[in-house]
Amino acid sequence: MLIMGEVRTGLLQNSAEIEERDHQAVLGLLAGERVRMSRRPIVYAVSPDLLTGVDCRLPSASRARIRGVGTVVSRSSITGGRVLQGSSYVRVTRGEVNYRLPWSHYLARPGVVEVLGKVSGPDVADGFLAFGAPGEHLDLGSVSDRFMDVVQESPVLDLRAPFRSNRTRLRWVAETGEPGVHFTLGEGQERTLKVTHQGEFSPAVVDLCEDLALHDWLLTTLLTIVQRARIGGASRPEVSARLAPAVDTLLHLWMPGARIHPSLAALWESLERTPGFSRQWQSLVERIRDQLAVNTLALLRETNG
Amino acid sequence: MTSFSEVTAERQIKSGPLSHVSVELGHLYMEDFQAGPDRLRRQFAAVAPWLETVRRSWQSRTPGGRARISTCFLIDDYFSRFSTPSELVPMILTAAAENDLVIDYLARESACAEADGVKLAKLVEDRLVPDPPPGTRGWRPPTHETGWLANGTRSPVAGSGQAMKTAVRWEAPTQNAKRGHSIFVDVELWNDDSRGRTWSCPFLAAVWQLLRLGLLRNEGQLPVQPVAVDGGFPTSWDNLPPVVKLNSSATPFSAYTTLSVLSTRFLQVELAVRTILSQVSVDEEVLKQVLSRSSDEDLRLEEELVDRISYVFL
Amino acid sequence: MLVFAISDKGGTGRSVTSSNIVYRRALQGQDVCYLDFDFGSPTVGAIFRVSTASRGTTKGGMHRYLEGEIPEPTRIDVWTESDRDAIRAKPAGAGQMVLLPGDEGGGEFATFDGEMLKRCVRLFAGLHEQFDLIMVDLSAGRSFAAHLALAATAQLPRIPARWLVFHRWTRQHIIAANGLVRGDHGLLDVGVEHGHDRDALIDRIRFVRTAVLELGSGDFAHLRPAQRSWLNEIDRELRELATRHGVGLTTMLGKVPLDPVLQWREQLISDDDVAGTEIANPETVFAFDDLAKKIVDDTAWEGL
Ligand SMILES: Nc1ncnc2c1ncn2[C@@H]1O[C@H](COP(=O)(O)OP(=O)(O)OP(=O)(O)O)[C@@H](O)[C@H]1O
Ligand SMILES: [Mg+2]
């Protein structure tokens, strides 16, 4: 009926990129399951799927009291040994009965939240995308956060990240229909995404949302670093020093659509037209490169003086 | 997925052979052993007719009456160690034979904690998805981290709380899926001390059920393969394979369903086992394999795990 | 970095000084946050002049978070939500400044359990991801807040943590400050109980003197010679006392002079208060600025 999820994205708390061999220790959240990894075009590793039981009210634009019971699917992933994501989603369906069944019933349907009683999909979707007060309803973002936290707690990490950064929150809903995407940048760290795709829902849609969240985070983080560098306001060496972590850590991570299923590639492309992620990224990168080049030149001139 | 074609570990899940039913003929604890061989003989005498009933019922359900029924017997070597395999196993086999029972497989309880280097109990622990009390929105860390697992909401704990606030009042615990009244169950899964972790008897028994249902995998592989023992039983439990195949013509150890014939003193343990099992999320791929195998045989399996487990209490 | 602000006695200037340190650090371009762990009196919003949190927040603050009722405590962006124009004008290059208030009507905790400790650890670790400086204002004296902080930092050995013990320049305060650190069930005792190394913990504790009268300053010009020499004598005694109690110059991170504005009102001292309206003293801001630098300056924290 309705599929909705939230991806949280942040910086892995380590001074350097983590090594390929460390991914198993960091993302191995389930005994007996290996972390899946792909190396091209960028190292990407993802934990096994994990379930969390919930029994609570679902968000609703009309403030209807909707009770849902079931499980949330979550996973953690690391891109480029640097960027950490926690991602959770549920499939909301109408339950067959109006009372709560034994738990084994829900466990037999992983990732499904059954509504006890009447429910309207669009109402829940709109309520979800509105980012209501935290803690009142099903809180997919906090579940994702928890799966980031367990990774950050890993003893493998030294907790000396090259810079401070915020976690972004991207909420998405997916439904079947004429293919399209609609991305909005909300207040602070909040973003929403509406995806319509052809045919049945598949986890490839989740990959798309995670990839978009990743690139939105890269862009947001780079923008903050550039703003805070006070180009033109601070001294040249100061500006260079403030831009350095961005250059070392982030610039090579931009690979939009790298892990997207071909059937969804068109959706990424439409996002490249509006809002035009890569365009903005490119212009930021050029600005940084120019700045560093100018600063280096100035430095050379001074030393040759 | 294009990019995952080069993924190091595209998941490969092994599937194993399955009987129709795995019948557990008994559990042997220290106190049974101390009670002497007569107790065992009496137990087997009581079990025999039930096994016969099971056999007949499955024969009538399978084409050509070719029911695959395997029997097993569990010895505790985890909570207390007594006697030796070379002394004990022949005694058990004799007592069974006197009642025309064939024990196909013999297992050590400690195998449910760890077998052949695989920490089975840990595999199951990580797959626990606790039954959420109403109001669970997903952000609290799972409650079973404390080593306890319940089927509902516990009574609130008095004691903490802020100064000058109304004190916490006692409230009854409730079962999540209650119909009218509650039967609240809270199971201790393990306890930790300086010597490490000790898994509880119900937790190991839950692992035992999952093993018999063939639902556990370690990195896609089937853990614990039954092994035949040649040339007599060893004098130390550690040298006995976790699961021993005693009967060379036995049908597979694991099965679509299980039946345990147990003394009524195990009733509480088994209630705890079911409480645990109803909160274990088995790998979807493994469940699918089992389902497709069974439907190939025109067999309808119960959807929920706990419904594939049955008992006879004597 | 985690910085814990503590004092044995109430009303020492702990909140006002640590708030101003946070403000200075933000102006220096760092991302900072301020946590109200003074559970019995969650009023830190007042210093930042955030009227929605002057007596704590109603939207779910530190109390409810630690009790496990909400997934995360409310955050207030001081730059946008302060009622003071001088604060709302965020200078270019300044860092984030976020307040995490307590709950309105929240009280001191009677105890804490393992779950609360886990939540506290998780909170600190999460904030460390985002902020350069996490200032935690603890209740005065031996409190559950301090106990919780010691237990939590013991579980976060990879996150640098420092302790500022605030005290006034009086006999009673000097003795009390020392007692809070080294006395029975003091910071060191409790820290060790939770797995801290005693010597390592000592190295992370520094003292800050508040509302100090500088004898050389013009404030004393009107004093009679007899009064002046009496004050000098007292000051000398206090210095001796401080050294004997391990609260002397070597363990002092800095001192804040008595400021007329702060004496009348708990507030952040903006540059405008000094250069514009001239109501506050430049020495006060200088002291805050200096402290803001020293708390992260490793040379000020070398082992003694
Ligand atoms: N440098 C200073 N000069 C003059 N007055 C000061 C100075 N620092 C703080 N004060 C004043 O001292 C009083 C106590 O300060 P503050 O509230 O910060 O103390 P506190 O230690 O946090 O107290 P509590 O234990 O009640 O929380 C306030 O009125 C404050 O304005
Ligand atoms: Mg205070």
Side-chain angles (χ1 to χ4, degrees), chain B residues 59-290:
Chain B
Q59 277 168 348
S60 69
R61 287 172 65 184
T62 42
R66 280 191 298 275
R68 300 190 302 279
I69 296 165
S70 67
T71 59
C72 56
F73 191 86
L74 189 72
I75 303 174
D76 173 38
D77 68 329
Y78 184 79
F79 297 103
S80 55
R81 288 217 165 171
F82 47 92
S83 187
T84 66
S86 62
E87 192 186 331
L88 195 62
V89 179
M91 178 187 115
I92 296 168
L93 295 183
T94 313
E98 283 170 16
N99 291 286
D100 293 328
L101 286 177
V102 178
I103 298 176
D104 295 330
Y105 300 95
L106 185 96
R108 295 195 277 127
E109 183 134 10
S110 62
C112 300
E114 181 173 346
D116 303 329
V118 179
K119 297 196 161 62
L120 295 180
K122 174 71 178 153
L123 292 187
V124 176
E125 184 206 334
D126 275 12
R127 292 198 160 274
L128 284 174
V129 179
D131 184 343
T136 306
R137 302 161 204 133
W139 48 265
R140 274 174 192 246
T143 45
H144 70 273
E145 283 177 10
T146 54
W148 286 81
L149 190 70
N151 68 347
T153 313
R154 301 182 173 99
S155 286
V157 188
S160 63
Q162 297 166 33
M164 298 174 78
K165 285 236 163 135
T166 349
V168 182
R169 263 199 298 161
W170 187 84
E171 274 172 55
T174 48
Q175 180 183 1
N176 292 336
K178 70 169 179 189
R179 305 294 298 277
H181 296 88
S182 286
I183 300 174
F184 177 74
V185 181
D186 205 349
V187 183
E188 186 169 16
L189 305 177
W190 67 75
N191 65 320
D192 290 323
D193 62 19
S194 53
R195 282 163 299 155
R197 172 161 297 185
T198 308
W199 300 98
S200 70
C201 168
F203 194 76
L204 293 182
V207 177
W208 172 236
Q209 288 284 1
L210 290 167
L211 258 185
R212 288 165 66 203
L213 289 168
L215 295 176
L216 294 180
R217 296 291 183 279
N218 179 48
E219 303 196 346
Q221 305 291 320
L222 288 152
V224 194
Q225 301 289 350
V227 178
V229 174
D230 303 323
F233 295 99
T235 49
S236 141
W237 289 106
D238 293 321
N239 295 334
L240 188 74
V243 179
V244 183
K245 185 171 180 175
L246 296 169
N247 171 10
S248 59
S249 57
T251 63
F253 169 70
S254 298
Y256 294 129
T257 63
T258 70
L259 172 77
S260 300
V261 187
L262 298 170
S263 147
T264 42
R265 70 192 156 98
F266 288 105
L267 245 168
Q268 293 202 42
V269 173
E270 295 303 324
L271 171 63
V273 169
R274 293 177 76 86
T275 305
I276 296 168
L277 284 179
S278 65
Q279 306 185 48
V280 172
S281 132
V282 173
D283 190 280
E284 266 187 282
E285 204 56 48
V286 176
L287 285 175
K288 270 191 214 140
Q289 278 178 1
V290 173

Side-chain angles (χ1 to χ4, degrees), chain A residues 221-267:
Chain A
T221 308
L222 192 63
L223 263 169
T224 312
I225 292 178
V226 169
Q227 274 165 12
R228 299 281 295 282
R230 293 178 60 212
I231 299 177
S235 75
R236 287 188 193 286
E238 248 178 287
V239 171
S240 295
R242 286 188 189 149
L243 291 175
V247 178
D248 295 343
T249 323
L250 301 178
L251 294 198
H252 61 285
L253 297 178
W254 191 262
M255 304 255 173
R259 294 183 299 104
I260 298 307
H261 193 273
S263 66
L264 297 172
L267 295 182

Side-chain angles (χ1 to χ4, degrees), chain C residues 76-125:
Chain C
I76 293 175
D77 177 7
V78 179
W79 294 122
T80 58
E81 292 188 44
S82 175
D83 301 331
R84 271 180 75 189
D85 296 339
I87 306 294
R88 270 207 317 279
K90 178 186 177 186
Q96 299 183 65
M97 180 163 51
V98 171
L99 178 62
L100 286 87
D103 278 287
E104 190 169 321
E108 174 66 280
F109 290 110
T111 170
F112 66 86
D113 58 11
E115 295 302 307
M116 196 191 261
L117 175 57
K118 263 190 219 157
R119 288 189 278 267
C120 182
V121 166
R122 180 174 176 268
L123 176 70
F124 289 166

Side-chain angles (χ1 to χ4, degrees), chain A residues 49-52 71-75 87-90 110-112 143 147:
Chain A
D49 283 351
L50 287 130
L51 298 180
T52 304
T71 55
V72 178
V73 193
S74 307
R75 62 187 188 181
S87 168
S88 307
Y89 69 96
V90 290
V112 172
V143 180
F147 283 98

Side-chain angles (χ1 to χ4, degrees), chain A residues 4-19:
Chain A
M4 57 188 199
E6 182 164 342
V7 188
R8 297 219 171 163
T9 309
L11 186 64
L12 190 66
Q13 294 297 295
N14 200 48
S15 49
E17 284 174 15
I18 61 163
E19 310 267 335

Side-chain angles (χ1 to χ4, degrees), chain A residues 149 157 164 166-167 228, chain C residues 29 122 128-130 158:
Chain A
D149 290 344
L157 306 177
R164 305 286 127 210
N166 292 352
R167 292 183 184 180
R228 299 281 295 282
Chain C
R122 180 174 176 268
H128 175 65
E129 223 173 293
Q130 193 180 350
R158 286 166 295 167

Side-chain angles (χ1 to χ4, degrees), chain C residues 10-16 38 168 211 256-259 262-263 266:
Chain C
T12 51
R14 181 183 73 249
S15 302
V16 163
D38 189 350
R168 296 226 170 188
V256 183
L258 185 88
D259 188 275
L262 296 183
Q263 208 159 18
E266 299 78 5

